[in-house]
Amino acid sequence: MNATNPCFDDVLSTHALIRDWLSGEAAAPEYCAQLLVRFAPAFTMVAPGGKQLDHAGLTAFFRAAGGSRPGLQMRLSDLVLIQDSAAGATVSYRECQSLPGGENTERLSTVVYDKTPTGALLWRHLHETWVA
């Protein structure tokens, strides 16, 4: 894994924001806003169980779930750059989550990025599947 790839850096830093928000380590509403700006207005997602979310659904989820998972740990591995162009990129990765006293979950995820004219990365689509 090349940790200097901007897409990989974004996957890792976005998950750090998600972990801190959901665990309650970061509780200010501004923190949630910093997280949400990483997602394109046209964002769509397929969650591991098959539920589909758009940007409004993701926003509602994050706003309601801040601090809901104390002690949440997330570990990412196996990052692969599937496609990279001036318009966007696609990255796959493995994500393991654990909660104190709870079960560990593992999913395979693929994020599709849009690149803005300034080169910023925006999450356009995320597809997650439970690891059997």
Side-chain angles (χ1 to χ4, degrees):
M1 179 176 76
N2 176 4
T4 62
N5 181 294
C7 296
F8 294 171
D9 292 345
D10 186 81
V11 167
L12 296 170
S13 64
T14 299
H15 279 81
L17 288 169
I18 292 169
R19 180 199 61 229
D20 290 352
W21 177 251
L22 295 178
S23 71
E25 288 183 36
E30 298 80 24
Y31 195 88
C32 187
Q34 288 176 10
L35 171 60
L36 289 169
V37 298
R38 292 175 174 251
F39 297 89
F43 176 79
T44 55
M45 175 180 177
V46 178
K51 182 177 180 179
Q52 296 184 43
L53 284 175
D54 59 9
H55 194 280
L58 182 78
T59 299
F61 165 77
F62 277 132
R63 286 187 178 150
S68 65
R69 299 179 185 164
L72 175 66
Q73 294 296 313
M74 300 171 93
R75 189 179 80 252
L76 279 74
S77 63
D78 304 332
L79 281 84
V80 176
L81 184 64
I82 295 171
Q83 175 274 332
D84 192 11
S85 72
T90 305
V91 174
S92 66
Y93 58 94
R94 179 179 294 260
E95 176 183 341
C96 300
Q97 292 187 13
S98 61
L99 285 168
E103 71 175 86
N104 296 339
T105 60
E106 191 170 355
R107 63 196 83 195
L108 299 173
S109 301
T110 302
V111 58
V112 177
Y113 283 107
D114 282 342
K115 289 184 183 174
T116 68
T118 62
L121 296 167
L122 293 176
W123 291 55
R124 174 61 181 84
H125 180 76
L126 175 63
H127 192 116
E128 299 180 327
T129 302
W130 294 122
V131 172

